[in-house]
Structures are given as C-alpha cells and as structure tokens.
Amino acid sequence: MRVFMNAVINFFKGLFKFVYSKIFLIQLVIAIAMVVILSYVALEWLESTTNHHQRIVVPSLSKKNLDEVEKILTEKDLRFEVQDSANFNPDYPRYSVIEQNPSAGSEVKENRKIYVTLNPSGYRKIEVPNVVLQTRRQAEPKLIALGFKIGTVTYKPNMSDQVLELRHNGKNLKPGTMLMKTSTIDLVVGDGKGLKLNLSN
C-alpha cells in the first residue's frame, strides 16, 4: 500500500513538474497558435466560398429588351427570369422591361435571380358593353371605366336622349365586339326633340 501511494505521489509530482516546465509551456503556446491559425484559414475559406461580404448592385433594366438584359446581368454574374406580362404601357417599348425585382440599386449576392416583367406587344382586347338605349350620362362612364375613349357625339332626331348607335372608325359597332383597349368609340345619341314636340302638342 505504501509503495502504491509513493508511486501516485511521484506521478503527480512529475506531472506538476512537467506542466510548469518550459517544454510544456512552449508546446501549449504552439498548440494555441495552431488552433488560431487553422480557425482563421477556415473562416477565410468559408467567406471566399459563400461570398459573405461580396455584394452586387442591381443595375436598372428599365426599357431594356431581353438580349440587353441577358448581356447586362451576365456581366454582373446575375441571372434573370421573365414573369407574366403586365398591362401595356405606351411609355415603354414593346417587349421591354417594365418592372424588376429586386429593384435597381439593391445589393444582392452573386448568382442572384432578378425577376423581370415585360411590356406586352399592345393593349388587350375588351368586350364592348351593351350601352345602346342607355342615356349618354349612363353610357359614357361605363365605356371610359373599361378603358375606351369617347370620340364624336352625333345627335339624331329621336324622341329619347338615349344612345342609339355605337361606331368605330366610321362603322357601326355591335355590343359584344372585342375591341382594343383605349380604342375610340363614337356615339349616336337621340336629341330628345321628338319627345318635347309631342308634349307641346
């Protein structure tokens, strides 16, 4: 038993002596330095592979066609995807970018996808509503609300002051006809004089 206790005491004495020796301290410093160096190298590699600090400013694609969009974004290491077309805007060229997301000036990572919306080739067609036999005051707001323009208003002798005919480019226009939005529709309206003459008689 005494031999065992002496062995244990001698072991701990040797251990403490080694811990406080110059060799141990040098090895400890070397080990800490290696951990620090390896950690720094790992962090640098991680940042370089994930582009953690690399940001790309999104360019303006407004009014650019798809060929121009592809060239601009490829040079910036960005991608794009075309979304559904918006309503036609006459201020933009046909098939040019009318909207983009993220917006111009935003900062994104490399290889980010930019969503673009193109201007369609023209206005879509709309069904002409049946406003015949409605008063001009009732008919005009309905046509304007759908996107049509009111052109010439011609008065025709009639007992009522209702819309008698719709015309487009000089031709009679039937309700239900599909017509391009912003098209001009002319109205033929009764002058109501026949009604006044009957009342006076």
Side-chain angles (χ1 to χ4, degrees):
M1 184 67 180
R2 181 177 295 178
V3 174
F4 174 75
M5 290 298 297
N6 288 334
V8 171
I9 292 172
N10 291 331
F11 171 78
F12 280 106
K13 283 183 178 180
L15 179 63
F16 287 134
K17 186 177 180 181
F18 173 73
V19 168
Y20 288 102
S21 67
K22 291 183 179 180
I23 296 176
F24 176 78
L25 293 176
I26 292 173
Q27 291 179 344
L28 180 62
V29 170
I30 292 174
I32 294 174
M34 290 296 295
V35 170
V36 172
I37 292 172
L38 290 175
S39 299
Y40 176 77
V41 171
L43 288 174
E44 287 296 314
W45 176 82
L46 185 63
E47 289 185 358
S48 64
T49 54
T50 60
N51 297 319
H52 183 68
H53 294 300
Q54 184 176 351
R55 311 294 288 183
I56 300 172
V57 177
V58 178
S60 174
L61 305 174
S62 180
K63 299 185 178 181
K64 300 289 192 303
N65 60 42
L66 284 182
D67 290 336
E68 293 172 317
V69 168
E70 183 175 10
K71 181 179 179 180
I72 292 171
L73 295 184
T74 300
E75 292 175 352
K76 294 278 188 178
D77 293 323
L78 298 173
R79 298 176 296 145
F80 74 94
E81 180 177 316
V82 179
Q83 293 185 315
D84 294 336
S85 298
N87 292 326
F88 179 70
N89 188 331
D91 296 330
Y92 288 75
R94 295 181 179 185
Y95 303 114
S96 68
V97 176
I98 193 171
E99 293 177 5
Q100 69 178 83
N101 183 35
S103 59
S106 302
E107 293 187 353
V108 298
K109 289 185 178 181
E110 181 182 348
N111 205 36
R112 172 67 185 273
K113 184 179 290 185
I114 309 300
Y115 296 92
V116 297
T117 304
L118 301 182
N119 198 27
S121 60
Y123 290 108
R124 60 187 177 91
K125 288 188 174 181
I126 303 172
E127 183 177 338
V128 176
N130 187 5
V131 294
V132 176
L133 299 184
Q134 295 184 11
T135 64
R136 178 183 175 185
R137 183 177 296 179
Q138 294 172 324
E140 286 190 353
K142 290 183 179 180
L143 294 172
I144 293 173
L146 290 173
F148 296 115
K149 295 179 181 178
I150 305 300
T152 303
V153 178
T154 304
Y155 290 94
K156 186 176 181 179
N158 194 277
M159 294 178 61
S160 72
D161 59 351
Q162 297 172 332
V163 174
L164 304 176
E165 295 178 32
L166 301 176
R167 293 179 181 175
H168 177 64
N169 291 334
K171 298 181 180 180
N172 187 46
L173 183 63
K174 294 182 180 180
T177 302
M178 300 301 292
L179 203 62
M180 201 73 71
K181 186 178 180 180
T182 74
S183 295
T184 300
I185 297 178
D186 301 324
L187 304 180
V188 178
V189 183
D191 58 12
K193 293 182 178 179
L195 178 60
K196 292 180 180 178
L197 288 174
N198 286 342
L199 288 176
S200 62
N201 291 334

